[in-house]
Amino acid sequence: MEFLFILNVIFCGSFGLSMAIFGIHFVFSNKRLTSSSPIVVIVWLLIPIGFGIIWAMICLTTLFHTPEKDEFLRKTYLKRYPGKLEDLTYFGPYFYPNGSLDWKPCLGIAGCSLLMSVSSLTMIFCGIKCYNRINNLVRSTSQSSHHRSLHSQFLTALIVETLVPVFLMHIPAAVAYIASFLNISSEIAGNIITMTIALYPAVDPLPTIFIISSYRNAVLRFIANRLKQFSCVQKALESMTKTVASEANETGVL
């Protein structure tokens, strides 16, 4: 049980850390902020760790389990899924435990929402600056059409990379917080958040891979080569099968 509790705390901290990484990812596109000295770079890299620690502390101090939450789980969750409450570990808000508003989870959700807002605003601010810079570079550059096309692809990839965490992380978390505050309990919303969190690491690199032509062509060539090898193997097996069948027929005739 203690081990599961530690894993749950680590998971909460990792979620907060990932929120900060989104913003830091865009901050590193600004050389003025990140290239002045190694110390500055280290400080920027420590910010996500600080976000994760703060997020975990918020969960530990405001969203921990209480007798009211345990009773709520007994009446709802454990009726549908057999098990013991002692085998569960969780963090979450329960705004109306006794019919009245409990301010402690409100403060916890407000803190988590503040951290999410900092991440979102950083992404939007740096994303707009990157968009304007790349867009101006595409318009004013005197380089070849290949370079213009490459800059346009980077611009498109930047926009999509901004939208991926928004739709897979920020919006699902915001919907869950709002629903719980309105006393709307939905198991589906919790399952969706779990799935989107798991999907994000796999989906995040896809815009760069498939929008940037060099990466896309390399991936397509790799897949084509593997299909050719598979096709060659399949043809060889068919040829061997035909040879064996013909030899068997000849043996039967003789």
Side-chain angles (χ1 to χ4, degrees), residues 65-245:
H65 65 88
T66 61
E68 292 82 8
K69 293 179 184 178
D70 292 344
E71 185 63 25
F72 177 79
L73 288 176
R74 287 192 183 95
K75 293 179 179 179
T76 56
Y77 183 82
L78 293 180
K79 283 187 176 181
R80 294 192 298 270
Y81 303 99
K84 296 180 180 180
L85 187 62
E86 293 75 15
D87 298 331
L88 298 178
T89 176
Y90 63 89
F91 290 110
Y94 189 22
F95 294 106
Y96 305 96
N98 299 310
S100 58
L101 182 63
D102 184 2
W103 288 100
K104 184 171 286 187
C106 292
L107 294 175
I109 295 301
C112 293
S113 300
L114 178 62
L115 296 177
M116 288 176 55
S117 300
V118 171
S119 174
S120 301
L121 293 175
T122 302
M123 289 172 52
I124 293 172
F125 176 76
C126 295
I128 291 175
K129 289 183 70 67
C130 291
Y131 176 87
N132 292 333
R133 181 171 297 182
I134 296 176
N135 199 25
N136 292 334
L137 183 63
V138 171
R139 292 180 179 179
S140 61
T141 184
S142 58
Q143 295 176 346
S144 64
S145 58
H146 174 73
H147 283 83
R148 289 174 178 267
S149 175
L150 188 60
H151 286 306
S152 298
Q153 293 169 23
F154 280 128
L155 186 63
T156 305
L158 174 67
I159 296 172
V160 177
E161 284 182 353
T162 306
L163 295 177
V164 168
V166 170
F167 283 98
L168 293 183
M169 303 285 282
H170 291 84
I171 292 179
V175 170
Y177 290 162
I178 294 172
S180 60
F181 183 76
L182 296 177
N183 203 21
I184 302 175
S185 179
S186 175
E187 228 178 280
I188 297 176
N191 294 334
I192 290 175
I193 293 177
T194 304
M195 289 187 292
T196 55
I197 292 173
L199 280 175
Y200 174 75
V203 174
D204 184 54
L206 295 182
T208 302
I209 293 174
F210 290 105
I211 293 176
I212 308 300
S213 59
S214 300
Y215 298 151
R216 182 176 65 249
N217 294 335
V219 171
L220 293 177
R221 282 196 298 268
F222 175 81
I223 295 174
N225 291 333
R226 291 296 178 272
L227 291 176
K228 287 180 181 179
Q229 292 178 1
F230 178 76
S231 178
C232 292
V233 172
Q234 188 175 12
K235 289 180 179 179
L237 290 174
E238 291 177 356
S239 178
M240 291 174 60
T241 303
K242 291 179 180 179
T243 302
V244 172

Side-chain angles (χ1 to χ4, degrees), residues 2-16 52-53 55-57 59-60 89 91:
E2 292 181 359
F3 179 69
L4 293 177
F5 179 78
I6 294 173
L7 289 180
N8 202 9
V9 173
I10 294 174
F11 176 81
C12 294
S14 300
F15 186 84
I53 294 174
W55 198 288
M57 292 303 297
C59 293
L60 283 170
T89 176
F91 290 110

